Amino acid sequence: MKYRVTHTTEFIYESRVAICYNEARLIPRQLPNQSVRSSVIQTDPVPADRYQRLDYFGNRTEYFSIVEPHDKMTVTAISVVDVKPSFFGDRQSQMDWQSARQWLVDTNVPESHLVVQYRLDSPMVKVDEQLAEYARPSFVSGRTLGEAVNELMERIFKDFKYDPEFSSIATPLKDVLKHRSGVCQDFAHLAIGCLRSQGLAARYVSGYIETDPPPGKPRMVGADASHAWFSVFHPELGWLDFDPTNNQVPGERHVTVAWGRDFSDVTPLKGVAYGGGEHQLKVSVDVLALEGRGGNKGPA
């Protein structure tokens, strides 16, 4: 599938901002199954300086500063991306989840520290007994890692209600677990916490998913949204993606932008502004298929 992804963020300030410094993670990653044909980040007002680099996790990050006074800032990222199905063949691996956990403890592979860090608590995902208790029914002795994680994904999909009015970025996981409600970010964090509670390595993935309009309705430009899912590390197969919001393994309709320990590592746009007071935030995302068709669409 070939997509054009347009992600527009608009800040409207109560009073003038004198100067601001920002970083954006809005450009999709280059991956074996994903090729970025073109990408550009447009900013209004025009930045005084800007540069790109890869952050610690390998995400493409753009830094920019605006030094002229302004009462509104608009940042638009436009990318054209080719996405192919990812065949990880987990059903052919018979490694059980306990062996996978032990591998993380015993391995002497030099690069293993890059994986082991995803077993630890992170700013937005703290392991506790409630998460471990919710995870246990999926992680019975002898079950393969793929089967265990797939069942966990299915349970989150069935047990939790997608409710954009319930949570915010700051909603604690214990509240999500208690009320059985949240959004894709919450469900990804929940799964990550459950996996880490079992001693496994899991990371947060941000991106987009192509969605269908309601039956009988025209496609609405800008009506899509950022999406999130999670990955678990499999010692034999590498990182495997799962989307608990849609109860599916991400495929050619998922566009990967960034990954990290949790949302705080991959925030699409953040920064520091001097002045401005209160502000309004408006976000518009459009995922347009330019060519190719296949797979299953799902809600973002």
Side-chain angles (χ1 to χ4, degrees), residues 10-15 17 71-74 276-282:
E10 184 178 38
F11 291 89
I12 303 173
Y13 300 101
E14 182 181 46
S15 58
V17 171
D71 52 23
K72 183 173 73 172
M73 181 180 73
T74 304
E278 298 293 327
H279 69 270
Q280 290 182 316
L281 175 63
K282 298 180 180 180

Side-chain angles (χ1 to χ4, degrees), residues 60-289:
R60 298 175 67 183
T61 308
E62 177 156 322
Y63 300 84
F64 62 92
S65 62
I66 298 174
V67 299
E68 66 177 89
H70 56 282
D71 52 23
K72 183 173 73 172
M73 181 180 73
T74 304
V75 179
T76 301
I78 305 172
S79 300
V80 176
V81 188
D82 285 321
V83 184
K84 298 178 181 178
S86 181
F87 300 102
F88 54 75
D90 180 59
R91 302 312 184 269
Q92 282 73 52
S93 173
Q94 295 305 308
M95 176 177 279
D96 63 74
W97 70 271
Q98 292 153 306
S99 297
R101 177 178 63 185
Q102 195 61 40
W103 183 94
L104 292 168
V105 174
D106 296 340
T107 184
N108 293 315
V109 178
E111 296 80 10
S112 63
H113 69 282
L114 297 175
V115 174
V116 172
Q117 66 181 326
Y118 292 104
R119 298 178 69 203
L120 308 175
D121 283 353
S122 54
M124 301 183 74
V125 181
K126 309 292 186 183
V127 171
D128 61 27
E129 181 54 31
Q130 287 181 306
L131 291 173
E133 182 180 353
Y134 183 79
R136 285 191 189 104
S138 296
F139 291 87
V140 297
S141 180
R143 177 171 282 174
T144 69
L145 178 59
E147 290 171 344
V149 179
N150 196 72
E151 183 182 287
L152 176 65
M153 174 183 70
E154 291 177 349
R155 288 175 53 219
I156 293 173
F157 176 76
K158 293 176 182 177
D159 292 348
F160 289 76
K161 176 185 177 183
Y162 184 88
D163 183 359
E165 301 299 323
F166 169 76
S167 63
S168 68
I169 292 174
T171 301
L173 264 183
K174 63 180 181 180
D175 290 347
V176 175
L177 192 57
K178 177 181 178 181
H179 296 283
R180 296 291 200 267
S181 294
V183 294
C184 57
Q185 172 188 299
D186 301 310
F187 304 153
H189 281 159
L190 175 66
I192 290 168
C194 288
L195 291 164
R196 291 177 184 170
S197 77
Q198 303 305 304
L200 298 167
R203 69 188 182 191
Y204 183 98
V205 185
S206 69
Y208 308 102
I209 183 172
E210 184 196 14
T211 60
D212 280 327
K217 300 292 185 180
R219 179 181 179 276
M220 298 294 290
V221 175
D224 295 312
S226 296
H227 193 43
W229 55 97
F230 72 92
S231 295
V232 63
F233 184 77
H234 193 301
E236 295 180 350
L237 301 169
W239 288 98
L240 308 179
D241 287 0
F242 295 84
D243 180 354
T245 304
N246 295 292
N247 192 28
Q248 63 181 236
V249 172
E252 60 182 340
R253 293 189 183 275
H254 287 71
V255 178
T256 300
V257 173
W259 59 59
R261 297 165 301 166
D262 58 37
F263 175 80
S264 66
D265 289 331
V266 301
T267 307
L269 182 62
K270 64 181 178 180
V272 176
Y274 294 90
E278 298 293 327
H279 69 270
Q280 290 182 316
L281 175 63
K282 298 180 180 180
V283 179
S284 170
V285 175
D286 186 58
V287 182
L288 176 64

